[in-house]
Amino acid sequence: MKSFCVKAPAKINLFLHIVEKKETGYHLIEGLFVFANLSNFLEIKVGEKDFRYDNSIVEFVNSELRISNKYNTIMRAINLLLRYAPVRAKVTVKVVKNIPIAAGLGSGSSDAGAVIRTLGKLWEIEKSILNEIALSVGADVPASVDSKPVLVRGIGEELHPIKEFSLPTNVVLVKPKKKFLSTPEVFSKYAGNFSKPIKWDGNAERNLLKLLKETRNDLQKIAISLVPEINDMILALESQKGSVLSRMSGSGVACFGMFDSEENAKAAAANIRDKQPEWWVCDTQLIV
């Protein structure tokens, strides 16, 4: 048996534009994804040769909501990866959930990305195949395989790695403890005008903060209409000393605040946690 202990870092959407809707119902997006030190922890064990088709096991620990052990992003990734494994093997995954789920922080996507990254390397599966598997599991999963700053386009399959990361790396994450949002529900309610694709070149990459301030999260108004506290969280983050930029991440209830120093980020987190005990608050750093 082979055993691996890996991290699945939180994903933060620094901006999210909806640029088109296909006849299939899929929305084409454009966004800047970054990843944080806040992580789920996965213990992945790969057993000996086993020809049964229902033998893999996934166990979740510390999750806010109950997650099916059979129908989840990890199990979908394992079943697809096993088609390319040298032998049919039993895979057991134990997940300690530290990233809130249904919050726009990619908790499930990052879990799947970590499994694809780990088993793909173990079984020497080609990168192009891993990308196809990741997209089959979920739109955010391709970016979560490498978990590095990236501009994402299409339905999540078009990745442009960020070579010059020029943003502050200290962030504070906030969400209501008992509020969740469904990604399909939020996207289904989007009826606004489509955003024009941004001009992405070397100048844009060198001036990421300027670019961010010219962008937005197209799903934010819809999410606020469903969970008004999102607006309160953004205002709370913006009011803190050293605040650089605050908005909602992805299609969930979590919001991020970017700060100019670790000291100000920690102070902001403490202030918000003290005033809003019903909110989950976490200060962390971006992985660059």
Side-chain angles (χ1 to χ4, degrees):
M1 176 178 288
K2 295 183 179 179
S3 181
F4 307 87
C5 291
V6 298
K7 291 182 179 181
K11 172 191 65 66
I12 304 172
N13 292 36
L14 297 184
F15 79 86
L16 182 61
H17 293 171
I18 312 299
V19 300
E20 189 180 341
K21 184 177 182 180
K22 305 295 284 184
E23 293 180 0
T24 56
Y26 283 105
H27 289 84
L28 301 186
I29 62 98
E30 184 175 60
L32 183 56
F33 293 4
V34 294
F35 295 84
N37 284 331
L38 169 68
S39 301
N40 294 336
F41 292 91
L42 282 68
E43 182 182 27
I44 304 172
K45 294 183 178 180
V46 183
E48 301 302 322
K49 189 173 182 180
D50 192 326
F51 289 103
R52 290 174 295 170
Y53 283 83
D54 59 350
N55 60 341
S56 294
I57 301 171
V58 179
E59 177 189 356
F60 295 96
V61 179
N62 198 37
S63 178
E64 298 171 279
L65 295 175
R66 181 177 177 141
I67 306 173
S68 169
N69 288 344
K70 291 185 177 181
Y71 304 103
N72 56 69
T73 57
I74 294 174
M75 192 63 80
R76 289 204 298 272
I78 290 172
N79 288 335
L80 291 169
L81 288 162
L82 282 170
R83 298 177 184 178
Y84 302 92
V87 296
R88 184 81 190 187
K90 180 176 181 177
V91 180
T92 302
V93 182
K94 182 177 180 180
V95 186
V96 178
K97 282 282 195 182
N98 296 312
I99 307 169
I101 65 175
L105 297 175
S107 189
S109 297
S110 195
D111 290 343
V115 169
I116 292 169
R117 179 173 65 248
T118 304
L119 297 184
K121 182 177 181 180
L122 173 65
W123 292 332
E124 299 181 346
I125 302 173
E126 292 181 10
K127 181 67 173 178
S128 60
I129 294 175
L130 295 181
N131 290 339
E132 291 176 5
I133 289 173
L135 190 61
S136 296
V137 176
D140 288 349
V141 181
S144 300
V145 174
D146 290 331
S147 298
K148 295 179 180 179
V150 62
L151 179 77
V152 179
R153 284 175 164 157
I155 59 173
E157 83 287 3
E158 189 180 335
L159 306 179
H160 302 272
I162 307 298
K163 299 176 182 177
E164 298 183 48
F165 193 83
S166 55
L167 293 170
T169 58
N170 299 288
V171 295
V172 175
L173 304 173
V174 184
K175 75 170 286 289
K177 289 181 179 178
K178 296 183 179 180
K179 299 286 180 67
F180 309 91
L181 278 176
S182 160
T183 295
E185 179 185 11
V186 176
F187 269 94
S188 70
K189 292 182 180 296
Y190 183 77
N193 295 326
F194 294 116
S195 296
K196 293 182 178 180
I198 62 170
K199 183 179 180 181
W200 183 250
D201 54 21
N203 184 59
E205 183 168 332
R206 285 189 296 272
N207 297 279
L208 288 178
L209 187 57
K210 179 176 182 293
L211 170 71
L212 279 183
K213 291 185 176 181
E214 295 172 352
T215 61
R216 66 207 156 272
N217 185 332
D218 284 339
L219 299 177
Q220 188 167 291
K221 287 185 178 180
I222 296 170
I224 290 173
S225 72
L226 297 170
V227 182
E229 282 178 83
I230 292 172
N231 192 56
D232 298 333
M233 293 187 294
I234 293 171
L235 293 175
L237 288 164
E238 289 177 339
S239 68
Q240 303 299 314
K241 180 181 178 181
S243 172
V244 176
L245 179 75
S246 300
R247 63 175 52 135
M248 185 181 80
S249 175
S251 59
V253 292
C255 298
F256 70 88
M258 189 174 285
F259 287 83
D260 59 4
S261 70
E262 183 177 2
E263 180 183 7
N264 284 334
K266 288 186 176 298
N271 290 339
I272 295 172
R273 193 179 291 115
D274 182 60
K275 293 179 180 178
Q276 302 289 352
E278 72 280 12
W279 291 353
W280 171 88
V281 184
C282 175
D283 61 281
T284 185
Q285 294 78 37
L286 300 183
I287 301 169
V288 298

